[in-house]
Amino acid sequence: MRKKIIAGNWKMNVKPSETAALVKGIAEAVKDCPDVEIVCCTPAIDVPAAVAAAAGTPIGVGAENCHWKESGAYTGEISTGMLLDAGAKYVIIGHSERRQYFGETDETVNLRARAAIAAGLTAIVCVGETLEERDAGKLNEVIVRQMEIGLKDVSAADCAKLVIAYEPVWAIGTGRTATPDQAQEVHALIRATLAKLVGADTAETVRIQYGGSMKPGNAAELLAKKDIDGGLIGGAALKAADFAGIIAAAQSK
Ligand code: PGA
């Protein structure tokens, strides 16, 4: 049984001074959800406040990016060691917004993912196609390429610290969710690709999250699908009640 994992991706929202209230609001609302792994991935500058507010609650804290070098002349970057030192346990890697606006490639996703896993962080590695790619019939090709390059040299043992997030770019922040069947089809492809990369037994243990306009009203039917093991939540992670509603849907699966 794969434990469901619901992670918030706060993106560039929520100030350090606003962080404790949101984390505490979520903690208050999810007391009866012991079967769900709950994560808040916050802007790096919010991590210390989120870690402090999450102490004594089941909420784990993560960041939204990390560099692959441990230290050095990389102005503006944050290392895995810095994140761990601040109390983070997770990090999102290769979100489509980073691919789209900040020059992230499958190769840099691979460097970041391997560094995060080697450091002991759980890497939430994002994959997903644009609408143009889907319409051009390139869905499978894009997902397989993102996985083969993004997860190159990630071993079966490393998969204990790996979560994959399938986020169709056309569903992010648009209110347009993939249907449960559309999502399941790609999740099955992701698991089959993982099986080729790390073996079928290990592939069965890796959680695959869906992300893209997931909310309390659609979470249950998505999470009911065989290969959908959680969610990576943007907009609905910014309100404690909405995020808690998705976690409750995961708990009842
Ligand atoms: P959304 O974002 O839930 O606002 O669509 C998801 C994500 O980008 O991780």
Side-chain angles (χ1 to χ4, degrees):
M1 265 301 277
R2 297 180 294 265
K3 186 171 186 175
K4 294 268 191 287
I5 175 167
I6 302 293
N9 172 13
W10 290 9
K11 310 195 179 185
M12 198 174 73
N13 300 301
V14 190
K15 295 184 172 69
S17 61
E18 300 165 335
T19 294
L22 180 53
V23 171
K24 286 183 179 154
I26 294 164
E28 197 54 42
V30 299
K31 284 192 174 133
D32 299 325
C33 302
D35 301 327
V36 184
E37 195 167 322
I38 304 166
V39 184
C40 291
C41 292
T42 78
I45 199 165
D46 294 353
V47 165
V51 169
T57 79
I59 298 173
V61 175
E64 300 172 10
N65 185 29
C66 68
H67 198 258
W68 54 90
K69 295 280 189 175
E70 192 38 53
S71 63
Y74 302 99
T75 302
E77 290 294 316
I78 297 197
S79 73
T80 57
M82 291 169 183
L83 293 178
L84 286 164
D85 190 64
K89 300 223 159 29
Y90 302 80
V91 61
I92 298 170
I93 307 281
H95 189 277
S96 63
E97 286 148 19
R98 296 217 58 86
R99 295 176 189 257
Q100 199 177 342
Y101 307 129
F102 302 105
E104 188 86 82
T105 64
D106 295 329
E107 286 77 14
T108 56
V109 167
N110 182 245
L111 289 168
R112 293 184 209 280
R114 279 165 41 207
I117 293 169
L121 290 161
T122 293
I124 300 176
V125 176
C126 302
V127 298
E129 82 289 359
T130 63
L131 194 55
E132 295 69 45
E133 289 165 339
R134 178 174 273 261
D135 288 346
K138 292 190 174 153
L139 168 63
N140 289 24
E141 185 189 314
V142 168
I143 299 292
V144 170
R145 186 204 73 223
Q146 289 176 340
M147 291 192 60
E148 283 180 351
I149 303 175
L151 299 179
K152 189 169 177 288
D153 294 331
V154 170
S155 70
D158 290 338
C159 287
K161 291 285 184 187
L162 176 69
V163 173
I164 310 270
Y166 168 56
E167 298 206 311
V169 177
W170 46 272
I172 295 176
T174 58
R176 189 176 156 192
T177 321
T179 65
D181 286 340
Q182 278 176 322
Q184 166 57 32
E185 188 189 340
V186 184
H187 282 234
L189 169 68
I190 290 171
R191 203 173 303 287
T193 308
L194 262 179
K196 284 191 194 135
L197 294 173
V198 294
D201 289 349
T202 302
E204 281 302 313
T205 66
V206 175
R207 274 93 51 90
I208 307 173
Q209 297 172 311
Y210 169 79
S213 301
M214 197 190 252
K215 39 189 183 269
N218 61 23
E221 52 175 2
L222 286 158
L223 292 167
K225 291 292 176 183
K226 177 172 163 284
D227 289 296
I228 303 185
D229 307 310
L232 183 57
I233 322 296
L238 300 174
K239 286 203 187 111
D242 288 349
F243 194 53
I246 295 170
I247 292 161
Q251 171 63 32
S252 62
K253 286 295 142 206

